Amino acid sequence: MKNRILFTCILVGMFLRKSCGQNSATEEVLNCCEGDILFLLDSSGSVSSYEYSRMLGFLSELLLPFSLGEDQVRVGLLQVGTQPRLEFGFDAHNTQSGLQEALGNTKALRGDTNTEEALRMAKDWVLKPGGARGARAELPRVLVWLTDGVKPGDVIGPMEELREEGVAVLVISTGHGNYQVLRQVVTPPVESHLYFVDIDDMSIITEDLRDAIIEILWAERLQVRDVSTDSAVLQWRPVLAGLNGYYDIRFGPAPSGGVVGGGAGGPGTSPSTSGGQYQRLTRPGDSSTARLTGLKPDTTYTATLTPESNLQVLNPLSVTFTTKPEVLSPAVVTVSDSEANSVRVSWGPLQPESVQSFQVEYSALPGGKLHMTTVGRGQNSTMLTNLQPDTQYLVTVSARHSYGQERAMSVKVCTEEVRPDLADLRLTTVGSDSVQVDWKASMDGLRGYWLTWEGQDGHGSTTAQRSSFYLPPNLLSTRLTHLPPTTRVCVWPVYRTTRGKGLCCTAQFHSGERTGRRHFE
């Protein structure tokens, strides 16, 4: 008889443990977990038919207690051979009867031990979160590798990539695998996640391995969401649903090296947190969330959830989180309604309960005279007036808070340039197809003119005949030739940033007479 080597450890802090009088493993973990477990099964030629059947029997016993389904545990089986094959994916079996039947019908692949290709399939496809038939996003993923340890190939690199992507790796070796190699591929702690066991003694490690998997699946099951400066929401799996029990929740600032918990009901001092203050909540057994309020900004908290039930002994779960830092006003300053001589400045958040007043300072750049205005705490905008056109200003909004803090934020704003409208536009026909165009405009800031003409039919619709061109600012007239019988002519003044308001006229040629209609554009 071969020497039987077995490295196992007893996991502590398990969420689920047998209660007195409970002997059924199925009852113990029936509704415990949510996550995806992929088994990497060595079925190459180095594994005998006897060893292969023992491995399948071990998997059957290991998985039997778990509840399966979309909101429970999902299981996949990837076989290792010359050409690795996904025997069934995570979406294949939602019942124990279906899973057990599939395991019983599984046949070995034989051939070479192409573990590297199997790991590539696992990383790029099966364990890829959010993909078609892949793992579920934001849920724990576990890879359990069953191997005889014979020539596994270069697995350290691929396993490291999986671990870096958040996959927990556990290994069971039934042969004489290289301990130094295998200890590098598992997720710490090695004592809980690496097992060497004789093929005939695999049942010895069933409970320990199952506990290790449950520990991983439960590691992130107490979650924190909607964290703000003074509140957060705890979310958990309702393991007490249908049972007579409640959840005891304790939370407080995280001490160095301690966990919030212990003590008697109500807010008080917890012995286990070196005198730290904590608050306490209770929620009924069918609850799955609780809002924690009265928190301090930018503070790290630890929350502990303890399910209390007379039917099961359930150990607590803890989570640590940090509230968001307080956002002091002004946190944002915006500009709107910009005109040549005015601009509106707005800011936020308002925070009338803590702000005494707002002060707005502004000056033209560079080196302009400083102006100042004070705004009440209930107002979050003001209109700055009597500004110079086409000028850049530095605007600073500052708030004085009631507890002595001050905060300021600056922005640069530009007033609009003065853009006088075109003063007049006249069309004078010359012959049967030409027109003299004359206009009047202010020269302040003028960069030139943009002139367009387009032919129109008898119903006022535009024809394909049209033209546009730019004229320098010193010109106040031009002549257009070879025009259609009805032509619409428009002239716009052009300034540094945009066009000003222009004028349009329509010229019609009828036996040397001309009619025209003028309007603004």
Side-chain angles (χ1 to χ4, degrees):
M1 178 70 69
K2 295 181 181 179
N3 290 328
R4 297 172 180 174
I5 304 174
L6 174 63
F7 295 100
T8 60
C9 75
I10 300 175
L11 297 176
V12 297
M14 291 299 302
F15 191 91
L16 294 165
R17 291 298 187 204
K18 290 183 181 178
S19 60
C20 297
Q22 254 191 325
N23 297 317
S24 170
T26 302
E27 293 178 2
E28 179 186 350
V29 296
L30 181 62
N31 190 35
C32 74
C33 314
E34 187 177 12
D36 295 325
I37 311 170
L38 178 65
F39 289 91
L40 191 67
L41 179 61
D42 187 352
S43 65
S44 63
S46 62
V47 180
S48 69
S49 297
Y50 173 76
E51 292 173 327
Y52 186 73
S53 65
R54 296 287 295 177
M55 287 183 178
L56 289 177
F58 170 74
L59 291 183
S60 176
E61 180 185 0
L62 176 72
L63 294 171
L64 183 61
F66 288 99
S67 287
L68 307 179
E70 188 59 33
D71 59 346
Q72 305 274 347
V73 171
R74 301 195 310 174
V75 177
L77 179 61
L78 178 58
Q79 294 212 78
V80 179
T82 303
Q83 294 293 330
R85 183 176 71 200
L86 183 64
E87 197 66 32
F88 51 82
F90 294 129
D91 59 348
H93 303 294
N94 292 326
T95 64
Q96 274 292 340
S97 59
L99 175 62
Q100 296 296 329
E101 182 180 359
L103 290 172
N105 293 332
T106 301
K107 305 300 179 185
L109 297 182
R110 304 307 178 192
D112 297 330
T113 310
N114 193 356
T115 312
E116 297 172 57
E117 175 62 19
L119 291 174
R120 186 195 64 78
M121 293 172 59
K123 175 179 177 294
D124 296 342
W125 173 29
V126 189
L127 287 170
K128 190 177 184 65
R133 302 182 61 192
R136 290 167 290 183
E138 300 181 1
L139 287 179
R141 294 168 293 158
V142 181
L143 175 68
V144 182
W145 179 26
L146 281 79
T147 176
D148 64 356
V150 178
K151 298 180 179 179
D154 184 10
V155 297
I156 295 179
M159 288 291 196
E160 183 179 3
E161 292 178 0
L162 283 169
R163 295 198 310 273
E164 289 177 351
E165 293 187 1
V167 177
V169 178
L170 292 78
V171 177
I172 302 100
S173 177
T174 62
H176 301 284
N178 188 325
Y179 174 77
Q180 295 302 325
V181 171
L182 297 182
R183 70 182 298 273
Q184 294 184 62
V185 306
V186 299
T187 300
V190 174
E191 296 79 8
S192 303
H193 295 165
L194 175 58
Y195 301 84
F196 286 85
V197 62
D198 189 89
I199 193 68
D200 290 319
D201 292 328
M202 295 189 72
S203 60
I204 296 176
I205 68 168
T206 301
E207 185 173 349
D208 286 336
L209 179 60
R210 186 187 299 128
D211 286 348
I213 294 173
I214 293 173
E215 183 81 1
I216 294 169
L217 298 185
W218 263 108
E220 300 176 2
R221 293 303 84 207
L222 180 59
Q223 297 182 342
V224 183
R225 59 179 177 83
D226 299 338
V227 179
S228 67
T229 58
D230 58 1
S231 66
V233 174
L234 289 183
Q235 185 172 21
W236 62 89
R237 186 176 182 82
V239 294
L240 294 181
L243 301 177
N244 183 19
Y246 65 94
Y247 299 100
D248 182 84
I249 302 166
R250 304 191 183 199
F251 61 98
S256 56
V259 176
V260 174
T269 302
S270 170
S272 65
T273 59
S274 303
Q277 293 293 316
Y278 69 89
Q279 294 176 264
R280 182 181 178 186
L281 299 173
T282 59
R283 289 293 181 269
D286 58 353
S287 300
S288 61
T289 62
R291 178 174 290 276
L292 312 182
T293 59
L295 308 182
K296 296 180 179 179
D298 199 20
T299 303
T300 299
Y301 283 84
T302 297
T304 299
L305 173 78
T306 304
E308 301 286 358
S309 172
N310 294 328
L311 302 179
Q312 285 184 319
V313 178
L314 305 170
N315 286 347
L317 287 172
S318 294
V319 66
T320 300
F321 63 95
T322 301
T323 52
K324 292 183 178 180
E326 186 173 15
V327 179
L328 295 179
S329 184
V332 59
V333 177
T334 59
V335 178
S336 60
D337 302 334
S338 179
E339 300 291 345
N341 302 109
S342 65
V343 65
R344 177 170 292 280
V345 179
S346 304
W347 56 87
L350 196 57
Q351 296 180 335
E353 70 285 349
S354 64
V355 174
Q356 293 179 330
S357 63
F358 293 100
Q359 186 170 279
V360 182
E361 300 176 341
Y362 58 100
S363 61
L365 294 175
K369 181 181 178 181
L370 181 66
H371 301 270
M372 186 183 306
T373 182
T374 300
V375 180
R377 62 183 180 180
Q379 187 175 338
N380 68 342
S381 71
T382 187
M383 182 71 77
L384 306 182
T385 58
N386 299 321
L387 306 181
Q388 300 173 23
D390 196 18
T391 303
Q392 187 178 55
Y393 282 81
L394 179 65
V395 179
T396 301
V397 180
S398 58
R400 181 180 296 274
H401 291 261
S402 56
Y403 41 83
Q405 283 187 288
E406 289 190 12
R407 178 176 171 83
M409 178 171 283
S410 299
V411 294
K412 290 181 180 179
V413 302
C414 292
T415 54
E416 298 289 339
E417 62 179 331
V418 176
R419 300 187 297 270
D421 301 339
L422 199 70
D424 187 34
L425 177 64
R426 291 179 299 166
L427 303 184
T428 304
T429 58
V430 181
S432 62
D433 63 356
S434 300
V435 65
Q436 178 71 25
V437 185
D438 297 280
W439 61 88
K440 294 179 182 180
S442 173
M443 300 301 293
D444 294 339
L446 190 66
R447 299 296 179 91
Y449 301 95
W450 187 253
L451 185 148
T452 68
W453 67 261
E454 56 188 15
Q456 294 184 331
D457 60 20
H459 302 287
S461 301
T462 301
T463 66
Q465 294 175 285
R466 60 186 305 160
S467 181
S468 299
F469 49 91
Y470 177 79
L471 295 171
N474 59 314
L475 288 185
L476 293 174
S477 65
T478 189
R479 179 169 293 190
L480 306 178
T481 60
H482 306 295
L483 301 178
T486 301
T487 302
R488 184 169 180 263
V489 180
C490 298
V491 179
W492 291 272
V494 178
Y495 299 97
R496 183 178 61 84
T497 57
T498 188
R499 296 189 306 191
K501 186 177 291 185
L503 291 172
C504 292
C505 278
T506 301
Q508 294 179 325
F509 302 94
H510 296 293
S511 302
E513 297 182 357
R514 185 266 305 166
T515 61
R517 300 188 304 274
R518 185 181 73 176
H519 60 88
F520 287 97
E521 286 269 329

